[in-house]
Amino acid sequence: MDVIKAIVVDDERAAVESLSIMLNKYCEDLNIVATAMSINEAKKVIVEHNPDVVFLDIMMPDGTGFDILEALPDRNFELVFVTAYNHLAIKALKYCAIEFIQKPVCKDDLTKAIDKVKNNRGIVRNSSLQYTVLFENLGNELPNKLCLPTERGLEVVDLGEVLAFESKDGGVIAYTIEGRSIVSEKDIDTLEDTLLDSKFSRIANDLLLNLKKVEIISKGEIFMHGGKTFNLSAEQINEFKIRFGNPPY
């Protein structure tokens, strides 16, 4: 059995010790090779130990996880944020498809994160784009950029330019005002949860619609800004009108 080498980084000693205890208890094939209480110390132990995963508090007194990625752009380890941040910061992490565990850490979240680490083990990745978008989103009251994993890599979309997400073959297609169709492996249920506080609404099992871009509601169609249309049943149209009335929203 291959042992997963882990490093725990947090500026609070109690947090480092608590997470270390949980990892040792619930992850038998994981070995904590080092801990650190600052970004600078973390950089040193990462280079020294070449870990498989780093558990990192999102904001440290001397920097952030983005600083680690800038220093180590061709990383071959997984980065998992462990954060006590508020609701909006958690939402920003979800928008950017970044793996995180919310404090206080629970067993299920921890074991799920380790399973993902195992699946991604050995993949060299450059996540600078994700973290650039993350810190841009953190500066807004509500995130406006969304990271979508695609076959070609990560695609960042401005939610104000997205008309809708349509479920297809286990993933989604994002339709934009410019006429682009972006195919992503994200599933529509996850997207609905991520965009819960936005102007996107699930108006059908396979359709998540940007209400701000609805122009006309007809008998069997919804016309979007830019001319894109979506066909709906009479029942779905009636339910839509009951819930939202007529545009603009």
Side-chain angles (χ1 to χ4, degrees):
M1 178 173 62
D2 292 336
V3 176
I4 298 171
K5 295 189 296 182
I7 290 176
V8 177
V9 182
D10 199 301
D11 63 310
E12 296 182 3
R13 172 57 61 186
V16 171
E17 293 177 352
S18 175
L19 182 56
S20 297
I21 290 171
M22 291 189 71
L23 286 169
N24 287 329
K25 182 177 182 180
Y26 298 120
C27 307
E28 295 181 356
D29 53 349
L30 181 144
N31 180 34
I32 299 172
V33 295
T35 62
M37 296 183 66
S38 71
I39 293 296
N40 287 331
E41 187 182 359
K43 293 175 185 176
K44 293 177 183 177
V45 295
I46 287 170
V47 171
E48 179 182 352
H49 293 281
N50 189 29
D52 299 303
V53 59
V54 176
F55 293 90
L56 174 67
D57 193 11
I58 188 170
M59 288 290 189
M60 303 280 286
D62 62 335
T64 69
F66 186 61
D67 297 314
I68 288 180
L69 292 176
E70 282 189 322
L72 307 167
D74 297 322
R75 68 183 177 98
N76 58 359
F77 60 88
E78 289 295 307
L79 186 61
V80 179
F81 278 126
V82 184
T83 177
Y85 258 35
N86 61 26
H87 171 70
L88 289 179
I90 296 299
K91 184 166 285 293
L93 286 162
K94 288 184 178 181
Y95 271 55
C96 298
I98 291 172
E99 188 63 33
F100 72 94
I101 302 172
Q102 192 169 3
K103 295 179 181 178
V105 178
C106 71
K107 174 187 174 182
D108 288 345
D109 289 344
L110 192 60
T111 53
K112 285 178 183 177
I114 292 299
D115 286 342
K116 290 183 180 180
V117 169
K118 292 176 181 178
N119 291 334
N120 293 332
R121 199 170 181 184
I123 299 175
V124 177
R125 61 186 70 234
N126 185 337
S127 302
S128 296
L129 179 60
Q130 278 174 288
Y131 289 91
T132 298
V133 175
L134 170 64
F135 288 100
E136 181 180 337
N137 279 342
L138 284 172
N140 299 317
E141 184 175 345
L142 188 66
N144 54 24
K145 297 287 180 66
L146 181 70
C147 294
L148 293 173
T150 72
E151 287 186 352
R152 299 185 302 276
L154 203 67
E155 185 94 23
V156 178
V157 295
D158 186 331
L159 287 172
E161 303 299 312
V162 176
L163 300 173
F165 297 97
E166 185 176 24
S167 179
K168 188 161 181 100
D169 298 330
V172 294
I173 301 173
Y175 299 101
T176 72
I177 292 175
E178 298 87 357
R180 296 179 65 207
S181 298
I182 303 167
V183 179
S184 172
E185 62 193 43
K186 276 275 192 182
D187 66 87
I188 198 165
D189 291 333
T190 300
L191 272 176
E192 182 182 22
D193 175 67
T194 299
L195 301 176
L196 188 62
D197 296 331
S198 70
K199 276 291 184 177
F200 283 80
S201 183
R202 186 85 168 264
I203 65 168
N205 286 336
D206 62 349
L207 192 61
L208 192 59
L209 203 66
N210 186 348
L211 298 180
K212 288 186 176 181
K213 300 304 177 185
V214 176
E215 290 197 336
I216 301 171
I217 305 171
S218 70
K219 186 175 181 180
E221 292 178 306
I222 290 184
F223 292 82
M224 308 296 292
H225 180 75
K228 177 73 176 176
T229 63
F230 294 101
N231 297 318
L232 296 173
S233 68
E235 182 180 353
Q236 288 171 326
I237 290 289
N238 288 335
E239 183 179 346
F240 184 89
K241 288 182 177 180
I242 291 172
R243 289 174 63 191
F244 305 109
N246 293 306
Y249 304 110

